[in-house]
Amino acid sequence: MRLFGRNSLTLLITVCWLSGCGSVTPGQLYLKADRLQRGGELSAAREVAETGLNRFGRDADSDWHWKFLLLQSETLLIERLTERAEASLYPKPPLAPTSPEMRARLLVDQAWLKDFRSQRAESLALLDQAEALVKNGDYRRIRFEIDLHRGSVFAHLRKSDEAEMKFRSALKRGEDLNDGYLQSLALGNLAVQRMDAARYDEAISILIRAMNVQQDSPAKGFTIRTLNNLGNCYYRLGDFDKAASLFEKVHEMASAAHLPMDYQMSLGNIGNSHVARAEGAIADPARAKEEFTLARNYYTQALAGARKLQVPRWTGMWLSNLAKTSLDLGDIADAEKYNAEAERIFDDPKTVEHQIARLNAGLIAEMRLNSGQAEQVFRSIVDSHITEPAALLPAQRELAKFLVSAGRNHEAETEFRKGLKMVESSRSRLVGDEYKLSYLSSLIGLYQDYVDFLIRNNHSEEALQVAESSRGRVLAERLRLGMPVDAGVNLNLLRQHSRVHGVIMLSYWLAPGRSFLWVITPSGVRCFTLPSEVEIIRLLREYRALVESLKDPLAGGNPTGRKLFDTLIGPASKLIPKNAKIVIVPDRDLYNLNFETLPAGGDQAHYWIEDVTISVTPSLTILANPQPARREKTRGLLLIGNPISPDEKEYPKLASAAVEVNAIQKTLAGPENVILTGAEAQPEAYLESHPERFAMIHFAAHATANRDNPLDSAVILTRHGDSFKLYARDIVGHPIQAGLVTISACQSAGSRSYAGEGLIGFAWAFLQAGARDVIAGLWAVDDRSTAILMERTYAELHAGKSPAEALRTAKLDLLHSSQPMRKPYYWGPFEVFASELDPR
């Protein structure tokens, strides 16, 4: 019945359709109109209300007249058709209801109109009058409306505490009335308040709760607006894939339900998704241009819809987005035209929309080579009192970049530091791990600019410190390293570790202009400049496709692998002796490459695995500060494998899983071991077996990697009731102390890399839970070769080798075997992921 949202994230809560009219009483007709309105069928609701007015409301003194008239007005207000609503709410000559309830409701609707027109004081005064009218008597529904509207006005006035109090009061009234619709309305506005404060992870949980209280009778309008707001939350947190999926769903639903307001919002949000895809298509400039063009087309359609609805706010928003996308496409003239109109609409400097339009103006000035104006605009945003990262962080980054280009390095350093502090402040307020992952990943550009700046000024070790400050943050916090995460990596300690453990550390950093490699040896830290991210990713994807197509990279005819080796390893080759132990810190797409499979240089063609022993870690900081786990208290092996398939078609039986399980069981026989196979290999069995007491944990089963929600990746086990999946998020929540966890399954390492945190999947989940080393797979694995690999790996572990050495020995056996298992597709998928340097 009401639209109680604000800013760009208004929320419409509705309930289901009631069909059938026949011979009706005014009460039945009104109920139908009200339910149509709640269900988002606003035009239909107005038509039924008009019928009610004509049949039962001709007498202006009757309550039925005002009930039908106000319901009509409210549908107009929901669509922000304020001019038409005003004609009903302020009739000429002036008329007023006789009953206190209808008079109060008229005042509430008039207050709603004033709020839309930014007349906040008048709106609050009208609500005061309405409250006085219903002070006595059972008017709980009207009091609910008053609380909700008052909360909305307070939110517009930036009085967040007062708004929170009123929304919670409205929620309590909805609970007292046992009305799920009213509860959803209050929860929706609480969520919007969190979104306005950039507390998107909190908003997500509130929105989900709002949907849950409506699950018995879900309404179209409610569902559409809530899904839209959820999409906006995920978008702001940097989870663009999940946001895009929700926006597409909203678009489809709004089109089918004929909801023009929601439809134009969905068009613009799909445009946002295309912008995110364009910015992520760094390795393919042609695709990026195509995505920006698609975004511009969607924004143009959204703008037309907003103009037709006469909604200034949405009109201004799509104009701002069109201005920025025009800049991305190099069309400065169009950008100026769109942005000038947006600035006229968003003329209040206290709003984030005004600052975003100003940010566009600064970018336009910069492209026009008007450096003085650009700097002035960027500084005005940074020095404003807004707290929304959407405008503040880009302005901070652009200001720092401008100062670098102007040669004002000391000032640039200050602005970079301010920007990183701002990122950490906003990130630290997030609650869920998955939100922290995507949020930092979306802001990695600021770190890239700062790293490049430091290296250009001959501060390569400081640059490594900045790069490391973005890495493994969630993992380090979960492991409770006993030190501030932002204290930086101790390079002297790493050099000492390199000397004591005999390891060489390679830390990579990918960036648009140029990339970097730091090499840490006992003698010091060296930095090498590598090609751009675009060039490296192109080579990487070509080579991985070659490996997964069962080709032999050593057979000749394709130089991609050797070129990739020369690019990534070649600059540091003189620092890496034969038989060295290597620890690699990849960056984003590099997590999808097993460095062992690269064809190395020399007189005879061979793979790099024959020269070195490699393990992978998400962060040097984590490596240098091992968690204080008591691994010596752990004993035995927990082995879960060869389950009964819950679906033979989707998860066919692994013919070699039984062989693998039997071989490992035989090699590591012991009284502390727990072996769960067949019907016993259920998801619940993992936690019920108390995994924290085991020194080793092994899974031999299918696994699914969830790219959209990496923590929803799962090991597929025997069905128990409706459950047959052990999720990565369940593993994260239960601390363990195992020295080694092995997930002998396809893509068990994960399928999605985040800037800063790395490849998120089971390897990351078990490291976060407390494992020292995790063996997991990068791509689809062959059942038979996997069983052979695991049998030999565990034999070598039993003989005293470290996980990295044991796995390497097993791989070399396959490599030196007869065809076809010598190809890297068979021995290359598994890697060792480490959170500590192995003491052996």
Side-chain angles (χ1 to χ4, degrees), residues 766-780:
F766 276 111
L767 289 177
Q768 196 179 74
R772 183 183 62 220
D773 292 314
V774 178
I775 295 176
L778 293 178
W779 57 77

Side-chain angles (χ1 to χ4, degrees), residues 268-301:
N269 282 331
I270 292 173
N272 292 340
S273 298
H274 283 292
V275 167
R277 292 191 185 109
E279 293 172 346
I282 188 169
D284 189 348
R287 182 182 159 222
K289 183 177 181 180
E290 180 183 344
E291 292 289 352
F292 278 129
T293 302
L294 286 169
R296 183 171 61 182
N297 292 340
Y298 275 104
Y299 289 147
T300 302
Q301 294 177 63

Side-chain angles (χ1 to χ4, degrees), residues 562 565-566 598-608 611:
R562 180 57 192 272
F565 178 88
D566 291 342
L598 292 175
D603 297 333
Q604 187 174 0
H606 66 286
Y607 295 107
W608 201 33
D611 296 338

Side-chain angles (χ1 to χ4, degrees), residues 130-195:
E131 192 163 23
L133 283 171
V134 295
K135 186 175 182 180
N136 300 313
D138 186 15
Y139 299 110
R140 289 178 292 174
R141 175 59 188 270
I142 293 293
R143 288 174 183 156
F144 168 89
E145 308 275 1
I146 293 169
D147 281 345
L148 207 61
H149 273 298
R150 204 184 293 277
S152 183
V153 176
F154 284 144
H156 278 129
L157 293 171
R158 310 288 178 183
K159 296 182 178 181
S160 57
D161 290 342
E162 291 92 332
E164 173 93 7
M165 181 179 67
K166 288 301 175 183
F167 289 145
R168 292 206 172 276
S169 175
L171 176 60
K172 179 65 167 58
R173 293 188 192 279
E175 291 170 345
D176 291 344
L177 289 166
N178 195 29
D179 190 322
Y181 159 65
L182 298 185
Q183 294 172 53
S184 298
L185 203 57
L187 287 166
N189 282 276
L190 281 168
V192 171
Q193 186 188 17
R194 297 296 194 280
M195 295 168 80

Side-chain angles (χ1 to χ4, degrees), residues 575-719:
L575 300 177
I576 304 173
K578 182 82 170 178
N579 298 319
K581 289 193 290 186
I582 305 292
V583 177
I584 295 177
V585 184
D587 188 24
R588 288 178 296 166
D589 279 57
L590 288 179
Y591 274 94
N592 296 316
L593 171 68
N594 185 341
F595 284 72
E596 298 171 323
T597 68
L598 292 175
D603 297 333
Q604 187 174 0
H606 66 286
Y607 295 107
W608 201 33
I609 189 175
E610 299 187 75
D611 296 338
V612 295
T613 302
I614 298 176
S615 58
V616 174
T617 189
S619 163
L620 290 176
T621 304
I622 291 169
L623 205 67
N625 297 276
Q627 61 172 325
R630 301 278 183 169
R631 302 194 192 281
E632 65 274 10
K633 292 185 177 180
T634 59
R635 295 286 186 273
L637 165 73
L638 171 61
L639 195 160
I640 303 177
N642 194 26
I644 299 171
S645 174
D647 185 335
E648 288 283 355
K649 184 176 181 180
E650 187 172 1
Y651 309 108
K653 181 175 176 59
L654 296 169
S656 298
V659 175
E660 179 181 332
V661 168
N662 291 335
I664 295 172
Q665 184 179 4
K666 182 178 178 181
T667 301
L668 298 181
E672 300 94 348
N673 294 351
V674 173
I675 314 297
L676 301 170
T677 62
E680 294 182 322
Q682 300 172 1
E684 296 83 355
Y686 173 72
L687 295 180
E688 291 173 357
S689 64
H690 300 287
E692 68 277 4
R693 64 192 173 102
F694 293 99
M696 291 185 182
I697 300 172
H698 185 99
F699 292 90
H702 283 290
T704 59
N706 190 320
R707 178 172 175 78
D708 291 337
N709 302 288
L711 293 181
D712 285 338
S713 299
V715 173
I716 307 303
L717 299 173
T718 300
R719 184 185 297 275

Side-chain angles (χ1 to χ4, degrees), residues 370-400:
N370 190 340
S371 58
Q373 182 183 352
E375 179 184 5
Q376 182 183 16
V377 170
F378 296 145
R379 283 198 182 279
S380 70
I381 299 172
V382 169
D383 294 339
S384 69
H385 297 293
I386 65 167
T387 58
E388 167 60 61
L392 199 54
L393 279 170
Q396 189 82 58
R397 182 185 179 190
E398 292 299 330
L399 177 59

